Amino acid sequence: MATSGTTLSTGLDAETLEMVLASLREFARARLGDAVLLDLDARDEMPLGVVREMCGGELGIQLLFVPEEYGGLGGGAFDIYRVCEEMARIDLGVATGVLATFLGSDPIRVGGTPEQRRRWLTAIGERGLLMAYAATEPEAGSDLAALRTTARPVVEDGRAVAYLLDGRKQWISNGGVADLYTVLANAPGGPSWFVVDRDTPGLSAGKPEDKHGIRASNTAAVYLDGVRVEADRLVGGVEGQGLLQAQAVFGYTRLMVAAFGLGAGWAALDRAIPYSAGRVVAGGPLSEKQGYTHKLVVPHAVRLEAARAYVEETAARLDASEGGLNTEGAIAKYLSTEAGCAAADAAIQAHGGYGYTREYLVEKIRRDVRITTIYEGTSEIMEMTIARDRWQAHLKTRGDHYHEQARSLEEQAAGSPDTGAAAAALALHALAEVLERARTGRLTRSQHVLLRLGELIAEAEGAASLARRAASAAAGTLPARASTRFDAPALAAMARVRARDAAMRVAAEGIRLVAGATEQLDAGGLAAALRLPAIHAAQAGLAADMDLVADVIYGRA
Ligand SMILES: Cc1cc2nc3c(=O)[nH]c(=O)nc-3n(C[C@H](O)[C@H](O)[C@H](O)COP(=O)(O)OP(=O)(O)OC[C@H]3O[C@@H](n4cnc5c(N)ncnc54)[C@H](O)[C@@H]3O)c2cc1C
């Protein structure tokens, strides 16, 4: 079942993955049609039976992330991304119900003892247990270190035989319906994960939250009043590993939410595209009006595909056993979820007044996708994570980090000049110069500047990633499990559009940030350092490329 290729060493073979995706689509067609989804949304109801069927006998999605040695399929990050995207295309609320089990089992998968892994991962695989991942508290969200839930050891004969958990968890997906909870609590040795059964005395859940979106998911507070768990439920058997265990899977878990952004964003665009082909306004279909397509469809498709390129690169690296990748997970999540929200918003606009009504579903998708920039780390926390890490890379390489990546893209541009690599290289060179000005001017003392740099870094890296993906597609070297929606020429056109935009944004926003914090600005010197004339010259051909992307999207190419 597992593949053993050179670049993708973990996970399903492409054929098995396609079968899983096809079963998921078939299941959704039969059980989660538009009318059902609208009804669940209106009634604010989680379809618990459907989620149980997905995570149990009928579909068995949970087997994807259970290792083969415990009876699962042993899927890798790439498989999980593809499946998460597909689930999000169907319904983000239902997808969140499944995600909670993925997340809930992660501390065990990563930090559990062999016995704990065998015990619970086998049970999840065989019995389709629904899980909840209970980390957040009323006063500890982005800042998990502020958590107040306690785990007091029950000591007998000088050793802890059990723990008593006390506290309150907030906004927990599946909080009111899970069979098994992983709960983060402060033990004497520090934050630690505990595995808690639903029927343990002292554990209870609040009423489901009345949410803006993902109303087909259950989100509830979880109360812990003297909940006794035996010591063998301390994940990893050692106190104080909780935050490290949570960190260890961020690369992976944020990729899942990134996939949600892709799935929901495309689900919205894929409603706007046929709608605009059929809607005749002022004598012709909207799909033939550039002012419409080049604002409401093309840029969003391009942003989503740049995000996908980054997701796929990160997934491949995770599957090749490159550990950590927290920053890459953050970039993937940031790019995909921001692009997904923007695409869904544009899809409402693209439907005009109809988009503002419930019937056309884009209104629901827009509300649903909004959560993806909040949970599993907000966009602002992503910006901070990205900026801090890449800032260190800039300092360690004495400013060469992004110049070096740019040079590698320039080599690519020499071999495949049409893949946007040259413009992406300009974006990276400009980024390196902006970071250097930020260093000499001590601009990152301003948190605002630091976070805005995080955004620019993500944009430039995303553009570079799409340029690489376009070159791989042209060379026929994309991973077998990669999405195949767009062919090589289409990806190349998208990469050119994205790279030009990224170069312009890095330069313009970079100048704004530097100028905004500098008393005596050498504007000419800054423009030259950022290679502004070259960035302007690189915009040539943008209009034709946008036309080309529109033609591909509307099947006219
Ligand atoms: C529907 C839903 C489902 C969820 N599911 C789960 C779940 O299953 N398990 C779980 O553990 N949690 C879950 N969460 C919680 C979620 O992960 C948190 O809401 C999120 O991490 C943000 O934390 P917070 O709500 O406390 O916001 P805060 O941390 O208070 O943030 C508020 C705002 O301030 C910004 N901010 C925070 N810190 C900084 C800073 N240092 N500098 C600048 N800006 C900052 C944030 O970006 C945000 O815009 C869920 C939340 C929702 C709404």
Side-chain angles (χ1 to χ4, degrees):
M1 194 66 72
T3 57
S4 57
T6 46
T7 47
L8 296 182
S9 54
T10 309
L12 310 184
D13 56 65
E15 208 178 305
T16 309
L17 174 61
E18 280 313 318
M19 270 168 47
V20 172
L21 293 172
S23 325
L24 192 51
R25 282 191 280 267
E26 189 48 44
F27 180 87
R29 248 192 305 275
R31 306 294 304 275
L32 292 167
D34 285 4
V36 173
L37 295 176
L38 284 172
D39 188 48
L40 290 169
D41 179 67
R43 287 193 288 122
D44 198 12
E45 183 184 308
M46 176 192 189
L48 184 56
V50 171
V51 174
R52 284 202 179 279
E53 282 169 32
M54 290 173 80
C55 289
E58 187 163 341
L59 208 54
I61 290 292
Q62 87 288 2
L63 293 173
L64 195 67
F65 63 89
V66 173
E68 284 175 289
E69 58 187 308
Y70 306 121
L73 288 172
F78 218 97
D79 307 306
I80 300 230
Y81 129 64
R82 294 290 311 276
V83 167
C84 282
E85 180 184 6
E86 197 61 49
M87 287 196 303
R89 277 190 73 88
I90 299 163
D91 183 86
L92 207 46
V94 171
T96 297
V98 178
L99 174 82
T101 299
F102 286 25
L103 294 181
S105 62
D106 267 332
I108 303 170
R109 201 175 50 78
V110 171
T113 62
E115 167 54 20
Q116 288 171 334
R117 286 161 54 86
R118 190 194 55 70
R119 177 176 174 190
W120 281 300
L121 295 178
T122 307
I124 293 163
E126 281 178 359
R127 288 159 48 204
L129 298 180
L130 280 194
M131 293 197 71
Y133 174 87
T136 305
E137 298 184 0
E139 288 171 50
S142 302
D143 181 15
L144 265 188
L147 92 159
R148 292 191 182 164
T149 298
T150 54
R152 281 177 295 133
V154 178
V155 179
E156 284 176 15
D157 297 332
R159 67 183 186 93
V161 295
Y163 289 85
L164 295 175
L165 307 183
D166 285 282
R168 175 190 171 144
K169 295 292 175 181
Q170 185 75 11
W171 317 121
I172 305 306
S173 302
N174 287 355
V177 298
D179 304 306
L180 201 60
Y181 296 72
T182 34
V183 175
L184 189 66
N186 255 326
S192 312
W193 289 100
F194 294 88
V195 185
V196 186
D197 289 329
R198 173 190 179 74
D199 54 7
T200 312
L203 184 135
S204 60
K207 67 175 177 48
E209 302 289 351
D210 181 2
K211 304 189 296 290
H212 174 64
I214 58 166
R215 292 165 72 82
S217 71
N218 171 279
T219 314
V222 174
Y223 307 105
L224 302 136
D225 295 308
V227 173
R228 182 184 163 114
V229 289
E230 300 311 305
D232 63 359
R233 287 168 175 261
L234 163 64
V235 173
V238 181
E239 294 175 6
Q241 303 299 304
L243 294 182
L244 289 177
Q245 288 160 350
Q247 285 263 338
V249 290
F250 269 159
Y252 192 74
T253 55
R254 286 178 174 159
L255 210 63
M256 300 182 202
V257 182
F260 279 8
L262 291 183
W266 266 116
L269 283 189
D270 280 333
R271 286 175 184 271
I273 292 163
Y275 176 83
S276 55
R279 173 82 174 162
V280 174
V281 177
L286 288 169
S287 57
E288 287 174 14
K289 299 179 195 301
Q290 270 188 338
Y292 177 98
T293 56
H294 291 22
K295 178 183 178 191
L296 300 176
V297 179
V298 170
H300 300 287
V302 169
R303 272 181 76 182
L304 285 167
E305 288 310 296
R308 178 191 307 288
Y310 206 91
V311 166
E312 291 203 347
E313 276 189 341
T314 306
R317 290 174 64 185
L318 283 169
D319 283 346
S321 302
E322 252 189 79
L325 300 183
N326 275 1
T327 308
E328 286 70 17
I331 294 177
K333 179 179 190 282
Y334 182 68
L335 289 174
S336 307
T337 59
E338 290 289 337
C341 284
D345 202 55
I348 291 186
Q349 190 72 12
H351 281 77
Y354 299 94
Y356 200 61
T357 64
R358 297 200 189 275
E359 192 184 338
Y360 284 76
L361 257 100
V362 286
E363 181 271 343
K364 180 181 103 59
I365 297 172
R366 177 68 182 96
R367 280 186 287 110
D368 288 350
V369 71
R370 192 66 188 77
I371 189 59
T372 61
T373 62
I374 297 174
Y375 65 14
E376 268 306 286
T378 65
S379 280
E380 294 69 38
I381 297 300
M382 297 303 100
E383 288 169 351
M384 200 184 315
T385 304
I386 296 162
R388 280 184 177 158
D389 181 74
R390 298 310 200 229
W391 180 246
Q392 288 307 316
H394 177 80
L395 298 182
K396 271 191 209 143
T397 57
R398 295 175 183 275
D400 199 44
H401 181 70
Y402 284 115
H403 283 310
E404 191 196 336
Q405 291 191 18
R407 287 192 293 275
S408 145
L409 278 171
E410 281 158 355
E411 275 175 33
Q412 176 188 316
S416 17
D418 297 335
T419 52
L426 284 171
L428 292 172
H429 279 308
L431 181 60
E433 291 300 325
V434 171
L435 291 174
E436 187 53 16
R437 297 288 168 133
R439 186 186 69 79
T440 54
R442 299 173 163 228
L443 305 190
T444 54
R445 285 182 305 182
S446 147
Q447 198 208 25
H448 169 63
V449 172
L450 185 71
L451 268 61
R452 300 294 19 96
L453 288 175
E455 180 187 4
L456 298 184
I457 290 166
E459 278 223 20
E461 290 203 22
S465 187
L466 184 55
R468 285 191 292 271
R469 190 169 197 267
S472 292
T477 56
L478 281 181
R481 291 178 288 173
S483 160
T484 53
R485 177 166 183 162
F486 296 106
D487 64 10
L491 284 174
M494 289 181 164
R496 295 192 296 271
V497 171
R498 186 82 279 265
R500 291 186 187 101
D501 194 39
M504 278 302 285
R505 282 227 50 228
V506 171
E509 183 69 6
I511 288 172
R512 196 178 74 86
L513 292 174
V514 173
T518 311
E519 277 176 22
Q520 283 190 324
L521 183 75
D522 168 16
L526 180 59
L530 297 185
R531 308 183 191 195
L532 215 48
I535 289 174
H536 288 163
Q539 304 304 313
L542 175 63
D545 277 336
M546 290 188 80
D547 288 346
L548 204 157
V549 175
D551 285 345
V552 169
I553 287 172
Y554 284 97
R556 302 185 293 234

